Amino acid sequence: LEFRRVLIQVYEGERSMTRDCNLLGKFNLDGIPPMPRGQPQIDVTFDIDANGILNVNAVEKSTGKEQKITITNDKGRLSADEIERMVQEAEQYKAEDEANRLRVEAKNSLENYCYSMKSTIADEKLASKLSEEDKSSITSKIDESISWLEANPTAEKEEYEAKQKELEAVVNPILQSLAGGAGGMPGGMPGGMPGGMPDMGGAGFPGGAPGAAAPDAGPEDGPKIEEID
């Protein structure tokens, strides 16, 4: 069994993207067995003491694997002048940062939807109710959408949203027709935000929130994390 690792990165700053924030430290959470997309649950907690020493702890809930890092005041922290400059830049680039955030959310929404639906139609209970034609239609459109995502990592928000609507237009009628005769939507209602909240994939948050990379996965295991340089 090949175990995977998750990279936890801790930043401080006021900007929405990690490229514009200050990296305080990083560590790996090792020993996580391969899991389907969305199954690993990693809790990251922050504790700062009276001396300004920051302790960051990460735990993968299903395995109990745990790792932490301690960041002291003299370890790459920003000066008061640098903090003030960051605050001013955050206000100056507020509109640009918001546009970037919305673009990444739209990308991850489409990506999560693709892999959620891929997992849904692979479920044996649902697969047995789908005709080969319907299964082929959904699979083909999912694969087309994933290929488009890989070829367009910096598309605009509206383009990601349009692609998701295209995919939903193929998937929804088929699953809704099954739900009509089964008393509920198999595998969950598509169209929302399957797989949980979007992964900002390169976004940082004020106060030193982490940027976490997903466990290494093959092309069929789930979406890739976007790095924004």
Side-chain angles (χ1 to χ4, degrees):
L1 181 64
E2 182 184 353
F3 288 92
R4 312 294 173 86
R5 64 173 48 177
V6 175
L7 175 63
I8 308 293
Q9 301 183 86
V10 184
Y11 290 84
E12 68 173 339
E14 298 293 328
R15 304 288 298 278
S16 62
M17 302 298 169
T18 55
R19 67 186 180 190
D20 300 312
C21 295
N22 180 48
L23 178 64
L24 293 177
K26 56 187 177 180
F27 60 96
N28 287 314
L29 185 57
D30 296 305
I32 300 174
M35 301 180 195
R37 166 75 178 174
Q39 186 173 324
Q41 296 184 47
I42 299 173
D43 282 346
V44 180
T45 56
F46 299 86
D47 176 50
I48 188 165
D49 66 17
N51 298 314
I53 296 174
L54 174 65
N55 293 290
V56 183
N57 191 71
V59 181
E60 201 292 302
K61 294 175 70 174
S62 68
T63 61
K65 295 292 183 181
E66 183 176 2
Q67 189 57 268
K68 63 182 178 180
I69 189 173
T70 297
I71 298 167
T72 60
N73 271 328
D74 57 353
K75 193 174 182 180
R77 302 295 289 271
L78 296 173
S79 67
D81 288 343
E82 288 171 324
I83 292 172
E84 178 60 28
R85 176 182 56 80
M86 271 196 163
V87 170
Q88 291 176 359
E89 287 179 350
E91 186 61 31
Q92 180 182 350
Y93 297 107
K94 185 176 181 180
E96 178 185 329
D97 285 351
E98 177 67 5
N100 271 329
R101 183 184 67 80
L102 293 174
R103 183 189 68 80
V104 173
E105 283 186 355
K107 174 181 181 291
N108 286 323
S109 175
L110 172 58
E111 201 167 39
N112 287 339
Y113 185 78
C114 285
Y115 286 97
S116 176
M117 289 302 101
K118 197 167 191 176
S119 177
T120 295
I121 65 169
D123 182 83
E124 292 182 5
K125 292 180 181 179
L126 177 60
S128 63
K129 298 175 184 177
L130 284 172
S131 69
E132 287 302 318
E133 181 180 356
D134 285 344
K135 190 184 298 184
S136 177
S137 295
I138 294 176
T139 301
S140 175
K141 192 63 178 177
I142 290 173
D143 290 343
E144 176 191 317
S145 300
I146 292 173
S147 295
W148 182 87
L149 271 165
E150 291 173 347
N152 297 274
T154 57
E156 295 299 323
K157 167 180 171 286
E158 292 76 16
E159 293 177 279
Y160 291 123
E161 291 174 340
K163 282 294 179 182
Q164 181 161 337
K165 287 179 181 178
E166 283 182 23
L167 179 55
E168 289 173 352
V170 172
V171 173
N172 285 5
I174 294 173
L175 295 188
Q176 286 168 357
S177 67
L178 292 180
M185 180 63 70
M189 182 68 180
M193 296 293 288
M197 290 299 291
D199 206 354
M200 286 304 288
F205 297 90
D216 297 334
E220 297 301 319
D221 291 334
K224 302 174 180 63
I225 297 299
E226 177 185 7
E227 293 292 340
I228 301 178
D229 298 320

